[in-house]
Amino acid sequence: MTIRKKQNKLDQRTKIIMIIVLIFVVILAFSYINLRQKSKKIAKEQQQVESQIKKQEEKKKELKKKKEYIKTKEFIEKTATEKFGLLYPGEYLLKGSDD
C-alpha cells in the first residue's frame, strides 16, 4: 500500500502543478491580449499625431509664403489701394457698378 500512497501523492502533486501552470498560462494570455489592445490604441494615436504634424507643416509653409508675399511691393500697393484708397499721382480708381 505504500507504493499506492506514493503514486497517489505524485498524482496529486502533478495535478496541483498542472493547475498552477494552467492558471499561469491563462494569466499570460490575458496579459498578452491587454498589451496587444494597448499597442493598437497607441499606434492609432501615433498615426493621428503624425497626420496633425503634416497639417501643421503645410500650414507653416503657407504662412511662410504669405509672409514673403506681405513683404512685396505688389501687396503693399494692393493693400494701400483697397483698404486706404491711396493711389499714385495721376492714377485713377475705376469701380464697376454692383448689379
Side-chain angles (χ1 to χ4, degrees):
M1 280 268 202
T2 59
I3 295 175
R4 194 166 206 164
K5 285 183 180 181
K6 285 183 180 181
Q7 270 187 334
N8 198 12
K9 283 185 179 182
L10 285 175
D11 288 344
Q12 284 180 341
R13 286 182 185 169
T14 305
K15 287 179 184 179
I16 291 172
I17 291 172
M18 292 294 281
I19 290 172
I20 291 172
V21 169
L22 182 65
I23 291 172
F24 183 69
V25 169
V26 169
I27 290 171
L28 284 177
F30 279 115
S31 296
Y32 174 77
I33 292 169
N34 188 23
L35 288 174
R36 183 94 168 140
Q37 289 175 343
K38 285 181 181 180
S39 176
K40 286 181 180 181
K41 183 180 177 183
I42 289 171
K44 186 176 180 180
E45 289 175 2
Q46 181 180 3
Q47 190 177 22
Q48 290 174 345
V49 168
E50 288 174 356
S51 174
Q52 289 176 349
I53 288 171
K54 284 183 182 180
K55 286 179 184 178
Q56 292 301 320
E57 286 174 350
E58 289 175 12
K59 188 174 180 179
K60 182 180 175 181
K61 286 180 185 178
E62 290 176 16
L63 289 172
K64 278 186 177 184
K65 286 181 184 178
K66 188 172 182 179
K67 180 181 174 183
E68 292 300 318
Y69 175 67
I70 288 172
K71 293 178 183 178
T72 63
K73 186 176 181 179
E74 177 185 349
F75 172 78
I76 295 169
E77 289 176 351
K78 183 178 177 182
T79 304
T81 302
E82 289 178 358
K83 292 191 177 184
F84 304 112
L86 300 174
L87 300 171
Y88 284 112
E91 188 177 40
Y92 299 98
L93 182 64
L94 300 174
K95 290 186 179 182
S97 62
D98 295 336
D99 291 332

